[in-house]
Coordinates of all heavy atoms in Angstrom, one line a residue:
L124 N -28.7 -38.7 -75.1 CA -27.8 -39.1 -76.2 C -26.9 -37.9 -76.5 O -25.8 -38.1 -77.0 CB -28.6 -39.5 -77.4 CG -29.2 -41.0 -77.2 CD1 -30.3 -41.2 -78.2 CD2 -28.0 -42.0 -77.4
D125 N -27.3 -36.7 -76.3 CA -26.4 -35.6 -76.5 C -25.3 -35.6 -75.5 O -24.1 -35.2 -75.8 CB -27.2 -34.2 -76.3 CG -26.4 -33.0 -76.8 OD1 -26.1 -33.0 -77.9 OD2 -26.2 -32.1 -76.0
T126 N -25.5 -35.9 -74.3 CA -24.5 -36.0 -73.2 C -23.5 -37.1 -73.6 O -22.3 -36.9 -73.5 CB -25.1 -36.3 -71.8 OG1 -26.0 -35.3 -71.4 CG2 -24.1 -36.5 -70.8
L127 N -23.9 -38.2 -74.1 CA -23.0 -39.2 -74.6 C -22.2 -38.8 -75.8 O -21.0 -39.0 -75.9 CB -23.8 -40.5 -74.9 CG -24.6 -41.1 -73.8 CD1 -25.4 -42.4 -74.4 CD2 -23.7 -41.6 -72.7
K128 N -22.8 -38.1 -76.7 CA -22.2 -37.6 -77.8 C -21.0 -36.6 -77.4 O -19.8 -36.7 -78.0 CB -23.1 -36.7 -78.8 CG -22.5 -36.2 -80.0 CD -23.2 -34.9 -80.5 CE -23.0 -33.7 -79.6 NZ -23.5 -32.5 -80.1
V129 N -21.2 -35.7 -76.5 CA -20.3 -34.8 -76.0 C -19.1 -35.5 -75.4 O -17.9 -35.2 -75.6 CB -20.9 -33.7 -75.1 CG1 -19.8 -32.9 -74.4 CG2 -21.8 -32.8 -75.9
R130 N -19.4 -36.5 -74.5 CA -18.3 -37.2 -73.9 C -17.5 -38.0 -74.9 O -16.3 -38.2 -74.8 CB -18.9 -38.1 -72.9 CG -19.5 -37.4 -71.7 CD -19.8 -38.2 -70.5 NE -20.2 -37.2 -69.3 CZ -20.3 -37.6 -68.1 NH1 -19.9 -38.8 -67.7 NH2 -20.6 -36.8 -67.1
M131 N -18.2 -38.6 -75.9 CA -17.5 -39.4 -76.9 C -16.6 -38.5 -77.8 O -15.5 -38.9 -78.3 CB -18.3 -40.2 -77.7 CG -19.1 -41.3 -77.1 SD -20.4 -42.1 -78.0 CE -19.4 -42.7 -79.4
Q132 N -17.0 -37.2 -78.0 CA -16.2 -36.3 -78.9 C -15.0 -35.8 -78.1 O -14.0 -35.5 -78.6 CB -17.2 -35.1 -79.2 CG -18.1 -35.5 -80.3 CD -19.0 -34.3 -80.7 OE1 -19.1 -33.3 -80.0 NE2 -19.7 -34.5 -81.8
T133 N -15.1 -35.4 -76.8 CA -14.1 -34.8 -76.0 C -13.1 -35.8 -75.4 O -11.9 -35.6 -75.1 CB -14.7 -33.9 -74.9 OG1 -15.6 -34.7 -74.1 CG2 -15.4 -32.8 -75.5
N134 N -13.6 -37.1 -75.1 CA -12.7 -38.1 -74.5 C -12.9 -39.4 -75.3 O -13.5 -40.4 -74.7 CB -13.1 -38.3 -73.1 CG -12.7 -37.1 -72.2 OD1 -11.5 -36.8 -72.1 ND2 -13.6 -36.4 -71.7
P135 N -12.6 -39.5 -76.5 CA -12.8 -40.7 -77.4 C -12.0 -42.0 -76.8 O -12.5 -43.0 -77.2 CB -12.4 -40.3 -78.8 CG -11.4 -39.2 -78.5 CD -11.9 -38.5 -77.3
M136 N -11.1 -41.8 -76.1 CA -10.2 -42.9 -75.6 C -11.0 -43.5 -74.4 O -10.8 -44.7 -74.0 CB -8.8 -42.5 -75.2 CG -8.0 -42.0 -76.4 SD -7.9 -43.0 -77.8 CE -6.9 -44.3 -77.1
V137 N -11.8 -42.7 -73.7 CA -12.4 -43.2 -72.4 C -13.9 -43.6 -72.8 O -14.3 -44.7 -72.3 CB -12.6 -42.0 -71.4 CG1 -13.3 -42.5 -70.2 CG2 -11.1 -41.6 -71.0
Y138 N -14.5 -42.8 -73.7 CA -15.9 -43.3 -74.1 C -15.9 -43.7 -75.5 O -15.9 -42.9 -76.4 CB -16.8 -42.0 -73.8 CG -16.9 -41.5 -72.4 CD1 -16.1 -40.5 -72.0 CD2 -17.7 -42.2 -71.5 CE1 -16.1 -40.0 -70.7 CE2 -17.7 -41.7 -70.2 CZ -16.9 -40.6 -69.8 OH -17.0 -40.2 -68.4
T139 N -15.8 -45.0 -75.7 CA -15.5 -45.6 -77.0 C -16.8 -45.9 -77.8 O -16.6 -46.1 -79.0 CB -14.7 -46.8 -76.9 OG1 -15.4 -47.8 -76.0 CG2 -13.4 -46.5 -76.2
G140 N -17.9 -46.0 -77.2 CA -19.2 -46.3 -78.0 C -20.4 -45.9 -77.2 O -20.3 -45.6 -76.0
V141 N -21.5 -46.0 -77.8 CA -22.7 -45.6 -77.2 C -23.1 -46.4 -76.0 O -23.3 -45.9 -74.9 CB -23.9 -45.7 -78.2 CG1 -25.2 -45.3 -77.5 CG2 -23.7 -44.7 -79.4
L142 N -23.0 -47.8 -76.1 CA -23.4 -48.7 -75.0 C -22.3 -48.6 -73.9 O -22.7 -48.5 -72.7 CB -23.5 -50.1 -75.4 CG -24.7 -50.4 -76.4 CD1 -24.7 -51.8 -76.9 CD2 -26.0 -50.0 -75.7
Q143 N -21.1 -48.5 -74.3 CA -20.0 -48.4 -73.2 C -20.1 -47.1 -72.5 O -19.9 -47.1 -71.3 CB -18.6 -48.6 -73.9 CG -17.4 -48.5 -73.1 CD -16.9 -47.2 -72.8 OE1 -17.1 -46.2 -73.5 NE2 -16.0 -47.1 -71.7
A144 N -20.4 -46.0 -73.2 CA -20.4 -44.7 -72.6 C -21.7 -44.6 -71.6 O -21.5 -44.0 -70.6 CB -20.5 -43.6 -73.7
T145 N -22.7 -45.3 -72.0 CA -23.9 -45.3 -71.3 C -23.6 -46.0 -69.9 O -24.0 -45.6 -68.9 CB -25.1 -45.9 -72.0 OG1 -25.3 -45.2 -73.2 CG2 -26.4 -45.9 -71.2
T148 N -21.2 -44.1 -67.6 CA -21.7 -42.9 -67.1 C -22.7 -43.3 -65.9 O -22.7 -42.7 -64.9 CB -22.4 -42.1 -68.1 OG1 -21.4 -41.7 -69.2 CG2 -23.0 -40.8 -67.5
Q231 N -21.1 -31.0 -69.4 CA -21.3 -32.4 -69.7 C -20.0 -33.2 -69.6 O -20.1 -34.4 -69.5 CB -21.8 -32.5 -71.2 CG -23.3 -32.1 -71.2 CD -23.9 -32.1 -72.7 OE1 -23.2 -31.8 -73.7 NE2 -25.0 -32.6 -72.8
V232 N -18.9 -32.5 -69.6 CA -17.6 -33.2 -69.6 C -17.1 -33.3 -68.1 O -16.0 -33.9 -67.9 CB -16.5 -32.6 -70.5 CG1 -16.9 -32.6 -72.0 CG2 -16.2 -31.1 -70.1
M315 N -22.0 -32.5 -88.7 CA -21.2 -33.2 -87.7 C -19.7 -32.8 -87.7 O -19.0 -32.6 -86.8 CB -21.3 -34.7 -87.8 CG -20.9 -35.5 -86.7 SD -21.9 -35.2 -85.2 CE -21.0 -35.9 -83.9
V319 N -17.8 -31.4 -84.1 CA -16.8 -32.0 -83.2 C -15.8 -31.0 -82.8 O -15.4 -30.8 -81.6 CB -16.2 -33.1 -84.0 CG1 -14.9 -33.7 -83.1 CG2 -17.1 -34.3 -84.2
T322 N -17.4 -28.6 -80.3 CA -17.6 -29.1 -78.9 C -16.2 -29.1 -78.1 O -16.3 -28.8 -77.0 CB -18.1 -30.6 -79.0 OG1 -19.3 -30.6 -79.6 CG2 -18.3 -31.1 -77.7
N323 N -15.2 -29.4 -78.8 CA -13.8 -29.4 -78.2 C -13.4 -28.0 -77.7 O -12.9 -27.9 -76.6 CB -12.8 -30.0 -79.1 CG -12.8 -31.5 -79.2 OD1 -12.0 -32.2 -78.3 ND2 -13.6 -32.1 -80.0
R347 N -6.4 -37.5 -85.6 CA -7.4 -38.6 -85.8 C -7.8 -38.9 -87.2 O -8.4 -39.8 -87.4 CB -8.6 -38.3 -84.9 CG -8.5 -37.9 -83.4 CD -9.8 -37.8 -82.8 NE -9.8 -36.7 -81.7 CZ -10.9 -36.3 -81.1 NH1 -12.1 -36.8 -81.5 NH2 -10.9 -35.4 -80.3
G351 N -12.0 -38.6 -87.4 CA -12.2 -37.8 -86.0 C -13.3 -36.8 -86.0 O -13.8 -36.4 -85.0
Y353 N -16.1 -37.3 -87.1 CA -17.4 -37.9 -86.9 C -17.6 -38.7 -85.6 O -18.4 -39.6 -85.5 CB -17.6 -38.9 -88.1 CG -17.8 -38.2 -89.4 CD1 -16.7 -38.0 -90.3 CD2 -19.0 -37.8 -89.9 CE1 -16.8 -37.2 -91.5 CE2 -19.2 -37.1 -91.1 CZ -18.1 -36.8 -91.8 OH -18.2 -36.1 -93.0
S354 N -16.7 -38.3 -84.7 CA -16.8 -38.9 -83.3 C -18.2 -38.6 -82.8 O -18.6 -37.4 -82.7 CB -15.7 -38.3 -82.4 OG -14.5 -38.8 -82.9
G355 N -18.9 -39.6 -82.2 CA -20.2 -39.3 -81.7 C -21.3 -39.3 -82.6 O -22.4 -38.9 -82.3
L356 N -21.1 -39.7 -83.9 CA -22.0 -39.6 -84.9 C -23.2 -40.6 -84.7 O -24.4 -40.2 -84.8 CB -21.4 -40.0 -86.2 CG -22.5 -40.0 -87.4 CD1 -23.1 -38.5 -87.6 CD2 -21.8 -40.4 -88.8
G357 N -22.9 -41.7 -84.0 CA -23.9 -42.8 -83.7 C -25.0 -42.2 -82.8 O -26.1 -42.2 -83.1
P358 N -24.7 -41.9 -81.6 CA -25.7 -41.2 -80.6 C -26.3 -40.0 -81.2 O -27.4 -39.8 -80.8 CB -24.8 -41.0 -79.4 CG -23.4 -40.9 -79.7 CD -23.2 -41.8 -80.9
T359 N -25.5 -39.2 -82.0 CA -26.2 -38.0 -82.5 C -27.4 -38.3 -83.5 O -28.4 -37.8 -83.4 CB -25.0 -37.2 -83.3 OG1 -24.0 -36.8 -82.4 CG2 -25.7 -36.0 -83.9

Side-chain angles (χ1 to χ4, degrees):
L124 285 163
D125 189 62
T126 297
L127 297 177
K128 179 207 73 171
V129 169
R130 293 193 173 197
M131 290 173 64
Q132 288 178 345
T133 55
N134 292 292
M136 302 303 292
V137 177
Y138 300 98
T139 58
V141 179
L142 293 178
Q143 184 269 346
T145 303
T148 300
Q231 288 178 322
V232 298
M315 199 67 190
V319 173
T322 300
N323 278 270
R347 304 187 218 170
Y353 293 91
S354 295
L356 181 63
T359 298

